[in-house]
Amino acid sequence: METSSATRSIVDALTKAIVDHRLQPGTKLAEQKLADHFGVSRTLVRQALFQLSQNRLIRLEPARGAFVAAPAVDEAKQVFAVRRMLEAEMTRAFVRTVTPAKIKALKEHVALEKSAVEGEDISGRTELLGDFHVRMAELMGNTVLAQILGELISRCALITLMYQSASAAEHSNDEHADIVKALAARDEERAVRLMTEHLEHVEANLTFDRKVPTNDISLALS
């Protein structure tokens, strides 16, 4: 197995175990145990763990090793509160500058989301569902808003990735489609209400207290 594909397979297996909650937040990921499990060198395991730390799925602590990240729930709740305030006004402004081209672009994005949800692409659907909101700001030509929204969404992306169920992701996709319909109809009040309710639903559907009691790496990865 090539070095890059070996590293990729370790990254994929650990990502799936973390997202599927087979590995709890805070679980120590011992390099030697992982090397034994995958039948590779500790160097390859180290490369995989570094990639996962870049995606914030794990945290690397000097002299202590690698641990499954423990997302800050309070921070996510604050992020959603800020997003509701910001995106209600963004939706109002979007309706006032709506064009067929903008609606076409949003519909294309919603179609990509649907494919990712149906294909059970967990990290892909999380990224696309978040990007819908950034895409609205980009289509308005407001780069500052797009940047701020992108930063806000990335701050709670790990929480969404780890705690959003497949059915909740499907609902998000449906709600995005409904928002686009209201925008196309230039129905400002309906669009704002749907956006606010959508963000409330996303937050409400995050199962923050969900835990699976396993710290056994081999068991979690099998």
PDB file of all heavy atoms in Angstrom, residues 17-19 31 43 47 62 79 82-83 94 106 122 126 131 144 148 156 161 168 171-172 178 204 206 213:
ATOM      1  N   ALA A  17     -15.206   6.517  12.578  1.00  0.00           N
ATOM      2  CA  ALA A  17     -15.402   6.058  13.963  1.00  0.00           C
ATOM      3  C   ALA A  17     -15.780   7.216  14.885  1.00  0.00           C
ATOM      4  O   ALA A  17     -16.622   7.067  15.777  1.00  0.00           O
ATOM      5  CB  ALA A  17     -14.142   5.371  14.471  1.00  0.00           C
ATOM      6  N   ILE A  18     -15.185   8.394  14.641  1.00  0.00           N
ATOM      7  CA  ILE A  18     -15.488   9.574  15.468  1.00  0.00           C
ATOM      8  C   ILE A  18     -16.882  10.110  15.144  1.00  0.00           C
ATOM      9  O   ILE A  18     -17.695  10.361  16.038  1.00  0.00           O
ATOM     10  CB  ILE A  18     -14.413  10.676  15.259  1.00  0.00           C
ATOM     11  CG1 ILE A  18     -13.062  10.211  15.838  1.00  0.00           C
ATOM     12  CG2 ILE A  18     -14.850  11.993  15.918  1.00  0.00           C
ATOM     13  CD1 ILE A  18     -11.886  11.095  15.443  1.00  0.00           C
ATOM     14  N   VAL A  19     -17.173  10.249  13.852  1.00  0.00           N
ATOM     15  CA  VAL A  19     -18.466  10.787  13.428  1.00  0.00           C
ATOM     16  C   VAL A  19     -19.616   9.851  13.807  1.00  0.00           C
ATOM     17  O   VAL A  19     -20.701  10.298  14.175  1.00  0.00           O
ATOM     18  CB  VAL A  19     -18.459  11.059  11.901  1.00  0.00           C
ATOM     19  CG1 VAL A  19     -19.843  11.375  11.399  1.00  0.00           C
ATOM     20  CG2 VAL A  19     -17.522  12.230  11.597  1.00  0.00           C
ATOM     21  N   GLU A  31      -0.576   5.880  19.447  1.00  0.00           N
ATOM     22  CA  GLU A  31       0.048   5.635  18.145  1.00  0.00           C
ATOM     23  C   GLU A  31       0.351   4.159  17.921  1.00  0.00           C
ATOM     24  O   GLU A  31       0.089   3.621  16.848  1.00  0.00           O
ATOM     25  CB  GLU A  31       1.346   6.455  18.026  1.00  0.00           C
ATOM     26  CG  GLU A  31       1.116   7.932  17.788  1.00  0.00           C
ATOM     27  CD  GLU A  31       2.420   8.689  17.616  1.00  0.00           C
ATOM     28  OE1 GLU A  31       3.491   8.031  17.493  1.00  0.00           O
ATOM     29  OE2 GLU A  31       2.384   9.932  17.604  1.00  0.00           O
ATOM     30  N   THR A  43       5.006   6.154  11.943  1.00  0.00           N
ATOM     31  CA  THR A  43       5.180   7.372  11.136  1.00  0.00           C
ATOM     32  C   THR A  43       3.916   7.664  10.326  1.00  0.00           C
ATOM     33  O   THR A  43       3.446   8.810  10.278  1.00  0.00           O
ATOM     34  CB  THR A  43       6.377   7.222  10.172  1.00  0.00           C
ATOM     35  OG1 THR A  43       7.544   6.941  10.950  1.00  0.00           O
ATOM     36  CG2 THR A  43       6.591   8.487   9.356  1.00  0.00           C
ATOM     37  N   GLN A  47       1.234  10.810  10.655  1.00  0.00           N
ATOM     38  CA  GLN A  47       0.791  11.653   9.534  1.00  0.00           C
ATOM     39  C   GLN A  47      -0.737  11.750   9.504  1.00  0.00           C
ATOM     40  O   GLN A  47      -1.305  12.827   9.293  1.00  0.00           O
ATOM     41  CB  GLN A  47       1.287  11.050   8.208  1.00  0.00           C
ATOM     42  CG  GLN A  47       2.768  11.209   7.975  1.00  0.00           C
ATOM     43  CD  GLN A  47       3.237  10.479   6.717  1.00  0.00           C
ATOM     44  OE1 GLN A  47       2.424   9.947   5.958  1.00  0.00           O
ATOM     45  NE2 GLN A  47       4.547  10.451   6.501  1.00  0.00           N
ATOM     46  N   PRO A  62       1.246  18.299  23.290  1.00  0.00           N
ATOM     47  CA  PRO A  62       2.671  18.007  23.470  1.00  0.00           C
ATOM     48  C   PRO A  62       2.908  17.092  24.675  1.00  0.00           C
ATOM     49  O   PRO A  62       2.347  17.318  25.752  1.00  0.00           O
ATOM     50  CB  PRO A  62       3.295  19.392  23.717  1.00  0.00           C
ATOM     51  CG  PRO A  62       2.330  20.351  23.089  1.00  0.00           C
ATOM     52  CD  PRO A  62       0.973  19.736  23.265  1.00  0.00           C
ATOM     53  N   VAL A  79     -22.717  30.612  18.756  1.00  0.00           N
ATOM     54  CA  VAL A  79     -22.576  30.799  17.313  1.00  0.00           C
ATOM     55  C   VAL A  79     -23.946  30.800  16.640  1.00  0.00           C
ATOM     56  O   VAL A  79     -24.241  31.647  15.796  1.00  0.00           O
ATOM     57  CB  VAL A  79     -21.669  29.704  16.700  1.00  0.00           C
ATOM     58  CG1 VAL A  79     -21.802  29.689  15.174  1.00  0.00           C
ATOM     59  CG2 VAL A  79     -20.216  29.936  17.080  1.00  0.00           C
ATOM     60  N   VAL A  82     -25.781  34.087  17.218  1.00  0.00           N
ATOM     61  CA  VAL A  82     -25.259  35.159  16.360  1.00  0.00           C
ATOM     62  C   VAL A  82     -25.734  34.955  14.920  1.00  0.00           C
ATOM     63  O   VAL A  82     -26.144  35.906  14.244  1.00  0.00           O
ATOM     64  CB  VAL A  82     -23.710  35.200  16.406  1.00  0.00           C
ATOM     65  CG1 VAL A  82     -23.167  36.208  15.387  1.00  0.00           C
ATOM     66  CG2 VAL A  82     -23.230  35.572  17.807  1.00  0.00           C
ATOM     67  N   ARG A  83     -25.708  33.698  14.473  1.00  0.00           N
ATOM     68  CA  ARG A  83     -26.132  33.409  13.090  1.00  0.00           C
ATOM     69  C   ARG A  83     -27.604  33.775  12.873  1.00  0.00           C
ATOM     70  O   ARG A  83     -27.953  34.292  11.810  1.00  0.00           O
ATOM     71  CB  ARG A  83     -25.887  31.935  12.769  1.00  0.00           C
ATOM     72  CG  ARG A  83     -24.432  31.605  12.519  1.00  0.00           C
ATOM     73  CD  ARG A  83     -24.285  30.147  12.090  1.00  0.00           C
ATOM     74  NE  ARG A  83     -25.004  29.878  10.853  1.00  0.00           N
ATOM     75  CZ  ARG A  83     -25.176  28.652  10.359  1.00  0.00           C
ATOM     76  NH1 ARG A  83     -24.687  27.603  10.997  1.00  0.00           N
ATOM     77  NH2 ARG A  83     -25.837  28.479   9.223  1.00  0.00           N
ATOM     78  N   PHE A  94     -31.229  39.744   0.687  1.00  0.00           N
ATOM     79  CA  PHE A  94     -31.176  38.884  -0.502  1.00  0.00           C
ATOM     80  C   PHE A  94     -32.453  39.007  -1.330  1.00  0.00           C
ATOM     81  O   PHE A  94     -32.401  39.120  -2.553  1.00  0.00           O
ATOM     82  CB  PHE A  94     -30.957  37.417  -0.086  1.00  0.00           C
ATOM     83  CG  PHE A  94     -30.568  36.505  -1.219  1.00  0.00           C
ATOM     84  CD1 PHE A  94     -29.245  36.165  -1.423  1.00  0.00           C
ATOM     85  CD2 PHE A  94     -31.520  35.986  -2.088  1.00  0.00           C
ATOM     86  CE1 PHE A  94     -28.867  35.328  -2.475  1.00  0.00           C
ATOM     87  CE2 PHE A  94     -31.168  35.158  -3.139  1.00  0.00           C
ATOM     88  CZ  PHE A  94     -29.833  34.826  -3.326  1.00  0.00           C
ATOM     89  N   LEU A 106     -28.382  28.941  -6.290  1.00  0.00           N
ATOM     90  CA  LEU A 106     -28.774  28.324  -5.026  1.00  0.00           C
ATOM     91  C   LEU A 106     -29.415  26.954  -5.242  1.00  0.00           C
ATOM     92  O   LEU A 106     -29.174  26.013  -4.483  1.00  0.00           O
ATOM     93  CB  LEU A 106     -29.737  29.240  -4.254  1.00  0.00           C
ATOM     94  CG  LEU A 106     -29.133  30.471  -3.594  1.00  0.00           C
ATOM     95  CD1 LEU A 106     -30.215  31.251  -2.837  1.00  0.00           C
ATOM     96  CD2 LEU A 106     -28.015  30.091  -2.619  1.00  0.00           C
ATOM     97  N   ILE A 122     -20.814  11.969   4.853  1.00  0.00           N
ATOM     98  CA  ILE A 122     -21.054  12.739   6.075  1.00  0.00           C
ATOM     99  C   ILE A 122     -20.292  14.059   6.106  1.00  0.00           C
ATOM    100  O   ILE A 122     -20.872  15.114   6.344  1.00  0.00           O
ATOM    101  CB  ILE A 122     -20.719  11.888   7.330  1.00  0.00           C
ATOM    102  CG1 ILE A 122     -21.616  10.639   7.357  1.00  0.00           C
ATOM    103  CG2 ILE A 122     -20.948  12.694   8.609  1.00  0.00           C
ATOM    104  CD1 ILE A 122     -21.219   9.620   8.390  1.00  0.00           C
ATOM    105  N   THR A 126     -21.961  17.885   5.497  1.00  0.00           N
ATOM    106  CA  THR A 126     -21.777  18.906   6.540  1.00  0.00           C
ATOM    107  C   THR A 126     -21.212  20.188   5.929  1.00  0.00           C
ATOM    108  O   THR A 126     -21.695  21.286   6.209  1.00  0.00           O
ATOM    109  CB  THR A 126     -20.819  18.395   7.643  1.00  0.00           C
ATOM    110  OG1 THR A 126     -21.380  17.224   8.230  1.00  0.00           O
ATOM    111  CG2 THR A 126     -20.622  19.443   8.730  1.00  0.00           C
ATOM    112  N   ASP A 131     -22.112  25.596   3.658  1.00  0.00           N
ATOM    113  CA  ASP A 131     -21.748  26.501   2.563  1.00  0.00           C
ATOM    114  C   ASP A 131     -22.959  27.181   1.916  1.00  0.00           C
ATOM    115  O   ASP A 131     -22.808  28.222   1.277  1.00  0.00           O
ATOM    116  CB  ASP A 131     -20.967  25.748   1.479  1.00  0.00           C
ATOM    117  CG  ASP A 131     -19.503  25.539   1.847  1.00  0.00           C
ATOM    118  OD1 ASP A 131     -19.070  26.138   2.841  1.00  0.00           O
ATOM    119  OD2 ASP A 131     -18.817  24.778   1.150  1.00  0.00           O
ATOM    120  N   VAL A 144     -17.427  40.524   2.844  1.00  0.00           N
ATOM    121  CA  VAL A 144     -17.225  40.622   4.300  1.00  0.00           C
ATOM    122  C   VAL A 144     -18.201  39.701   5.027  1.00  0.00           C
ATOM    123  O   VAL A 144     -17.816  38.938   5.919  1.00  0.00           O
ATOM    124  CB  VAL A 144     -17.390  42.081   4.791  1.00  0.00           C
ATOM    125  CG1 VAL A 144     -17.315  42.136   6.322  1.00  0.00           C
ATOM    126  CG2 VAL A 144     -16.319  42.979   4.193  1.00  0.00           C
ATOM    127  N   ILE A 148     -17.342  36.434   7.339  1.00  0.00           N
ATOM    128  CA  ILE A 148     -17.798  36.328   8.729  1.00  0.00           C
ATOM    129  C   ILE A 148     -18.634  35.070   8.932  1.00  0.00           C
ATOM    130  O   ILE A 148     -18.445  34.321   9.898  1.00  0.00           O
ATOM    131  CB  ILE A 148     -18.612  37.583   9.137  1.00  0.00           C
ATOM    132  CG1 ILE A 148     -17.689  38.802   9.252  1.00  0.00           C
ATOM    133  CG2 ILE A 148     -19.342  37.354  10.469  1.00  0.00           C
ATOM    134  CD1 ILE A 148     -18.405  40.124   9.406  1.00  0.00           C
ATOM    135  N   CYS A 156     -18.588  25.960  14.393  1.00  0.00           N
ATOM    136  CA  CYS A 156     -19.492  24.914  14.882  1.00  0.00           C
ATOM    137  C   CYS A 156     -19.565  23.731  13.923  1.00  0.00           C
ATOM    138  O   CYS A 156     -20.381  22.831  14.095  1.00  0.00           O
ATOM    139  CB  CYS A 156     -20.875  25.460  15.200  1.00  0.00           C
ATOM    140  SG  CYS A 156     -21.744  26.156  13.810  1.00  0.00           S
ATOM    141  N   LEU A 161     -20.727  18.119  12.516  1.00  0.00           N
ATOM    142  CA  LEU A 161     -20.204  16.870  11.957  1.00  0.00           C
ATOM    143  C   LEU A 161     -20.408  15.702  12.918  1.00  0.00           C
ATOM    144  O   LEU A 161     -20.820  14.615  12.530  1.00  0.00           O
ATOM    145  CB  LEU A 161     -18.717  17.034  11.637  1.00  0.00           C
ATOM    146  CG  LEU A 161     -18.006  15.875  10.939  1.00  0.00           C
ATOM    147  CD1 LEU A 161     -18.609  15.626   9.573  1.00  0.00           C
ATOM    148  CD2 LEU A 161     -16.520  16.169  10.808  1.00  0.00           C
ATOM    149  N   ALA A 168     -31.590  14.493  10.294  1.00  0.00           N
ATOM    150  CA  ALA A 168     -31.540  15.944  10.502  1.00  0.00           C
ATOM    151  C   ALA A 168     -30.875  16.630   9.312  1.00  0.00           C
ATOM    152  O   ALA A 168     -31.289  17.712   8.898  1.00  0.00           O
ATOM    153  CB  ALA A 168     -30.791  16.278  11.791  1.00  0.00           C
ATOM    154  N   HIS A 171     -33.386  16.868   6.588  1.00  0.00           N
ATOM    155  CA  HIS A 171     -34.332  17.953   6.871  1.00  0.00           C
ATOM    156  C   HIS A 171     -33.717  19.306   6.519  1.00  0.00           C
ATOM    157  O   HIS A 171     -34.396  20.185   5.982  1.00  0.00           O
ATOM    158  CB  HIS A 171     -34.746  17.948   8.349  1.00  0.00           C
ATOM    159  CG  HIS A 171     -35.632  16.786   8.705  1.00  0.00           C
ATOM    160  ND1 HIS A 171     -35.684  16.248   9.966  1.00  0.00           N
ATOM    161  CD2 HIS A 171     -36.495  16.066   7.949  1.00  0.00           C
ATOM    162  CE1 HIS A 171     -36.541  15.228   9.960  1.00  0.00           C
ATOM    163  NE2 HIS A 171     -37.041  15.098   8.750  1.00  0.00           N
ATOM    164  N   SER A 172     -32.431  19.482   6.829  1.00  0.00           N
ATOM    165  CA  SER A 172     -31.742  20.738   6.504  1.00  0.00           C
ATOM    166  C   SER A 172     -31.766  20.991   5.003  1.00  0.00           C
ATOM    167  O   SER A 172     -32.003  22.111   4.554  1.00  0.00           O
ATOM    168  CB  SER A 172     -30.287  20.696   6.995  1.00  0.00           C
ATOM    169  OG  SER A 172     -30.217  20.921   8.378  1.00  0.00           O
ATOM    170  N   ASP A 178     -36.860  24.918   0.573  1.00  0.00           N
ATOM    171  CA  ASP A 178     -38.023  25.768   0.873  1.00  0.00           C
ATOM    172  C   ASP A 178     -37.628  27.249   0.954  1.00  0.00           C
ATOM    173  O   ASP A 178     -38.370  28.131   0.501  1.00  0.00           O
ATOM    174  CB  ASP A 178     -38.666  25.337   2.198  1.00  0.00           C
ATOM    175  CG  ASP A 178     -39.398  24.003   2.079  1.00  0.00           C
ATOM    176  OD1 ASP A 178     -39.732  23.611   0.942  1.00  0.00           O
ATOM    177  OD2 ASP A 178     -39.620  23.357   3.125  1.00  0.00           O
ATOM    178  N   ALA A 204     -31.441  22.519  17.482  1.00  0.00           N
ATOM    179  CA  ALA A 204     -32.251  21.621  18.309  1.00  0.00           C
ATOM    180  C   ALA A 204     -31.967  20.149  17.999  1.00  0.00           C
ATOM    181  O   ALA A 204     -32.085  19.288  18.878  1.00  0.00           O
ATOM    182  CB  ALA A 204     -33.735  21.914  18.102  1.00  0.00           C
ATOM    183  N   LEU A 206     -29.092  18.833  17.196  1.00  0.00           N
ATOM    184  CA  LEU A 206     -27.749  18.385  17.555  1.00  0.00           C
ATOM    185  C   LEU A 206     -27.829  17.670  18.905  1.00  0.00           C
ATOM    186  O   LEU A 206     -28.194  18.266  19.912  1.00  0.00           O
ATOM    187  CB  LEU A 206     -26.779  19.570  17.637  1.00  0.00           C
ATOM    188  CG  LEU A 206     -26.561  20.324  16.318  1.00  0.00           C
ATOM    189  CD1 LEU A 206     -25.634  21.499  16.537  1.00  0.00           C
ATOM    190  CD2 LEU A 206     -26.002  19.408  15.240  1.00  0.00           C
ATOM    191  N   PRO A 213     -20.222   4.448  25.079  1.00  0.00           N
ATOM    192  CA  PRO A 213     -19.122   4.157  26.008  1.00  0.00           C
ATOM    193  C   PRO A 213     -18.114   3.142  25.471  1.00  0.00           C
ATOM    194  O   PRO A 213     -18.147   1.975  25.831  1.00  0.00           O
ATOM    195  CB  PRO A 213     -19.855   3.626  27.244  1.00  0.00           C
ATOM    196  CG  PRO A 213     -21.088   2.991  26.686  1.00  0.00           C
ATOM    197  CD  PRO A 213     -21.462   3.777  25.481  1.00  0.00           C
TER     198      PRO A 213
END
